[in-house]
Amino acid sequence: MAGTEVTNRQIIFKNYVVGWPKESDMELVTTTKKLELREGQKDVILKVLYLSCDPYQRGRMRNAVDSYIPPFTPGKPLDGYGVGKVVRSNDPDFKENDLVEGLVAWEEYSLGFKLSKIESDVVPVSYYLGALGMAGFTAYVGFFQVCEPKKGETIYVSAASGAVGQMVGQFAKLFGCHVVGSAGSAQKVDLLKNKFGYDEAFNYKEEPDLDAALKRHCPQGIDMYFENVGGKMLDAVLLNMKVHGRIAVCGMISQYNNEVHEPIYNLNITVKRRLKIQGFLQSDFIHLKPEFKKTVVEWFKEKKLEYVEDIADGLEKGPAALIGMLAGKNVGKQGIKVADF
């Protein structure tokens, strides 16, 4: 099918990264693209509206052979989760001007993959990057499925003001748990306490002794730990877990840029306390996605949930936004606005 040719800016991944990534590991280029559908394929071409910055993308910057997701390809655009508007479609499930979420390249016009229609206008479209996207779904299945919560239990969440953590804490409060979180600035701690409803919160950067901080904020111990950080934080948490405690391992962002990972010294606690430690991917629970969307949209409609975003304006801001997110500079879910509707 013949297609219109458009100017198409892209963020290109230049080469594999060792250590901390830099903005110069990515490059903004301007190309042209034909909005052309392949015959016999269910192609959907999108005008990209928003892009998501997520910690897992750091892993895709190394040429790893043991990852659950392929690395980026040097010389090609980065890709990830995004929101877009359909401009061309060979797929009967999607028509022109539909708003969708799914996988897209970091460019202004992209083929879309694993797409879902955005049916509700209860929340801003950008929330489908986070609260109603991968981050929110990760929080939902991590808490309700992996943590196996019981009312009245104590949950501790690290990186608690991030895209996933802010949702975990609110789900736990709605369920009836005592919720404790940590973050890396006074501003983020204030959000935890005064916007997301955390019962206790602390700035881990101001705590020389993480074990003492956890004992102060969780004096009865921790039933559930939602792990986003790893390293010294995980070691300290292990000392404070209660018997039959559960640890849901979502990520370990403190280790992503280390060539040699920090050792964990307190794993012997897992035997004495009969702990369950489970890593998980949101894709393990994809059958629960409709339930998640229905439930969380309803909670937003009832004003039971809050969400904070940090949206960089313009595709050209993408590299700085991604690097800043990995360094914890963002406040809330980090996204990139590429275009208006």
Side-chain angles (χ1 to χ4, degrees), residues 202-215:
F202 64 93
N203 181 350
Y204 71 90
K205 292 181 180 177
E206 295 179 348
E207 299 290 348
D209 185 338
L210 291 173
D211 177 34
L214 290 168
K215 284 182 167 55

Side-chain angles (χ1 to χ4, degrees), residues 80-94:
Y81 290 89
V83 169
K85 183 171 73 171
V86 176
V87 293
R88 298 279 192 280
S89 177
N90 262 349
D91 188 327
D93 291 335
F94 302 99

Side-chain angles (χ1 to χ4, degrees), residues 93-108:
D93 291 335
F94 302 99
K95 64 181 188 301
E96 191 173 333
N97 292 322
D98 279 348
L99 292 176
V100 297
E101 55 154 326
L103 296 174
V104 298
W106 279 35
E107 56 186 352
E108 292 176 307

Side-chain angles (χ1 to χ4, degrees), residues 130-245:
L132 284 159
M134 183 185 70
F137 188 47
T138 298
Y140 187 84
V141 298
F143 176 67
F144 288 108
Q145 299 296 314
V146 183
C147 284
E148 299 176 329
K150 301 177 183 68
K151 292 185 190 305
E153 288 188 323
T154 293
I155 183 170
Y156 170 60
V157 185
S158 56
S161 68
V164 175
Q166 58 178 288
M167 298 296 284
V168 174
Q170 292 180 90
F171 292 156
K173 283 301 295 180
L174 287 171
F175 188 78
C177 293
H178 182 76
V179 185
V180 181
S182 61
S185 72
Q187 179 187 10
K188 292 178 181 179
V189 169
D190 181 68
L191 281 174
L192 295 181
K193 291 180 178 178
N194 297 315
K195 194 171 187 71
F196 304 137
Y198 275 69
D199 297 294
E200 299 275 348
F202 64 93
N203 181 350
Y204 71 90
K205 292 181 180 177
E206 295 179 348
E207 299 290 348
D209 185 338
L210 291 173
D211 177 34
L214 290 168
K215 284 182 167 55
R216 189 167 72 249
H217 291 281
C218 308
Q220 305 304 314
I222 299 167
D223 296 288
M224 298 168 285
Y225 173 41
F226 201 99
E227 165 69 303
N228 290 308
V229 170
K232 293 180 177 66
M233 182 64 78
L234 174 57
D235 236 7
V237 169
L238 286 167
L239 294 173
N240 289 276
M241 293 298 295
K242 293 166 75 169
V243 172
H244 298 302

